[in-house]
Amino acid sequence: MVAKRNTSDYFKERRKTIGQFSVSVKREKLELLDKALKKQGKTKTAWLNEKIDEEIGK
């Protein structure tokens, strides 16, 4: 049970600093985005963080 407690504590602390962003998009668009990001060597998370920074002016 020690591991379960450590895991729950970890996620409890993580939720204090990390939010989740989820939207539905057409599968075709998502597949094209996945291909483009793979060519660039980027993850969806890294790409989205870049776009958010652009929007908020960082």
Side-chain angles (χ1 to χ4, degrees):
M1 285 295 192
V2 174
K4 185 175 183 179
R5 178 71 177 156
N6 288 341
T7 301
S8 63
D9 288 342
Y10 168 79
F11 282 106
K12 185 176 181 179
E13 289 301 312
R14 180 180 163 93
R15 284 190 295 273
K16 290 180 182 178
T17 59
I18 303 291
Q20 190 164 343
F21 182 82
S22 176
V23 296
S24 297
V25 295
K26 291 187 177 189
R27 183 163 306 277
E28 182 179 291
K29 277 188 174 183
L30 185 57
E31 290 170 354
L32 290 171
L33 176 62
D34 285 340
K35 286 179 185 178
L37 293 178
K38 189 173 184 177
K39 284 182 184 177
Q40 297 173 30
K42 292 182 184 175
T43 64
K44 286 185 231 176
T45 301
W47 174 79
L48 182 57
N49 277 321
E50 287 177 13
K51 295 301 176 186
I52 291 171
D53 287 346
E54 288 173 14
E55 286 298 316
I56 63 176
K58 276 194 167 182

